[in-house]
Amino acid sequence: MDIASSSLSQAHKVVLTRQPSSRVNSCSLGSVSAIGFSLPQISSPALAKCRRKQSSSGFVKACVAVEQKTRTAIIRIGTRGSPLALAQAYETREKLKSKHPELVEEGAIHIEIIKTTGDKILSQPLADIGGKGLFTKEIDEALINGHIDIAVHSMKDVPTYLPEKTILPCNLPREDVRDAFICLTAASLAELPAGSVVGTASLRRKSQILHKYPALHVEENFRGNVQTRLSKLQGGKVQATLLALAGLKRLSMTENVASILSLDEMLPAVAQGAIGIACRTDDDKMATYLASLNHEETRLAISCERAFLETLDGSCRTPIAGYAAKDEEGNCIFRGLVASPDGTKVLETSRKGPYVYEDMVKMGKDAGQELLSRAGPGFFGN
């Protein structure tokens, strides 16, 4: 199924009213918008011939015409069907078209929506249904089987191992890695009254929230896409939530942000804000296309963070955060964190070194080994 990107501009909005707060943060706005997506209207000669007609007996007959593809797509992109995943697929498509004239023609790039395990099971916390590969497994299978040519992923969803016969040679330029605070009544976590409930599906967020604000409560099965979570917030199921600022920017929904959490207050997930694009190991044509899009600074930072995560053998049951970036002198600065799920214990470390692949991977592994040693057996309670 290829949903035209024009549907983004046709999306309807549900306006959520923000309640007054005793303090107004500079990022606060008067409303929160949740965007829903609908299929674009399709018109063609084939469909024009297939309109509803009234039969002599009074029954309405309808027929469905399927337009024949005029050409075979040069690139088939596999992605999840959430609005954010589609936005990332459209971004990939536009970057490919800007680099390669042969991809500009309509139909040259086809977007295939693939439903993943993480999309199908929404009634349980992520930690209870498997952790690794929940949002990538089915897309990877479609790639390996040749149903798609490239797979577009949120890098924070990608396990530290890659399936056989696949490579991930491309990262697009990274978006803002910070988390955004979303609330109708307060401008920050610190302003929430004791006993307030914060919704999140992330143990990383839960542990850091409870470590700094133990008087708050966390609803950890706060699942769904951005629009669903905002609707739950408006419905009063929670008093606040945290969302990745990168996703809100890609959806043009930053008006929802009450405030942005600093890296000291909330260290991000490994690879947060980064888009990764995979292809088959034997597909040189796709590898060449992806090489033209790769942002090397982002790729190196993600490699450092994922080396840290792999050393810790992290999963959705393990609160882990990590962030690598280039400083003003051109060096890599890495910060890593592990925590107990209840937030009572948090261990942090940092590294600095050359912004070179081998050095950065070594830094990530070394930081992971340090925290493993400091945490000791039983630290994570499982």
Side-chain angles (χ1 to χ4, degrees), residues 37-59:
F37 285 76
S38 57
L39 291 174
Q41 297 297 317
I42 302 174
S43 60
S44 69
L47 290 177
K49 296 178 182 178
C50 189
R51 301 184 182 279
R52 293 174 179 265
K53 296 181 180 179
Q54 183 91 20
S55 71
S56 57
S57 60
F59 292 102

Side-chain angles (χ1 to χ4, degrees), residues 145-338:
N145 294 334
H147 299 309
I148 58 175
D149 301 303
I150 63 174
V152 177
H153 298 300
S154 292
M155 280 302 300
K156 66 182 179 63
D157 294 333
V158 178
T160 52
Y161 58 86
L162 295 177
E164 290 186 15
K165 301 181 181 180
T166 71
I167 54 173
L168 207 161
C170 175
N171 289 120
L172 300 186
R174 195 173 197 174
E175 250 296 356
D176 197 314
V177 303
R178 294 174 295 174
D179 282 321
F181 176 73
I182 315 291
C183 183
L184 304 180
T185 59
S188 67
L189 282 166
E191 287 189 14
L192 287 174
S196 296
V197 180
V198 181
T200 179
S202 163
L203 284 184
R204 170 190 64 86
R205 290 180 177 133
K206 175 186 175 181
S207 61
Q208 291 185 75
I209 291 170
L210 294 179
H211 182 68
K212 295 178 174 67
Y213 306 101
L216 299 178
H217 297 293
V218 175
E219 166 55 57
E220 63 182 76
N221 191 30
F222 199 66
R223 301 277 314 281
N225 60 36
V226 172
Q227 293 75 13
T228 300
R229 297 185 199 196
L230 291 177
S231 295
K232 289 179 179 180
L233 174 63
Q234 175 65 18
K237 293 186 177 181
V238 297
Q239 281 70 62
T241 188
L242 301 184
L243 296 172
L245 183 58
L248 295 171
K249 284 188 172 185
R250 290 185 174 120
L251 288 169
S252 299
M253 294 176 66
T254 52
E255 73 270 19
N256 301 306
V257 177
S259 62
I260 299 171
L261 280 67
S262 70
L263 297 181
D264 291 329
E265 188 172 11
M266 182 65 62
L267 201 62
V270 164
Q272 183 157 305
I275 296 172
I277 311 176
C279 66
R280 289 182 293 278
T281 54
D282 60 354
D283 195 336
D284 293 339
K285 182 178 180 180
M286 292 303 129
T288 300
Y289 278 130
L290 296 186
S292 70
L293 303 188
N294 181 56
H295 187 252
E296 189 65 3
E297 182 177 326
T298 296
R299 190 184 75 85
L300 296 185
I302 298 308
S303 297
C304 178
E305 295 168 22
R306 283 168 60 82
F308 172 72
L309 181 65
E310 182 179 21
T311 302
L312 291 167
D313 193 28
S315 72
C316 284
R317 287 191 176 276
T318 308
I320 297 172
Y323 177 53
K326 183 179 288 187
D327 68 9
E328 295 178 353
E329 299 173 347
N331 292 313
C332 175
I333 300 294
F334 173 76
R335 296 176 59 184
L337 174 153
V338 295

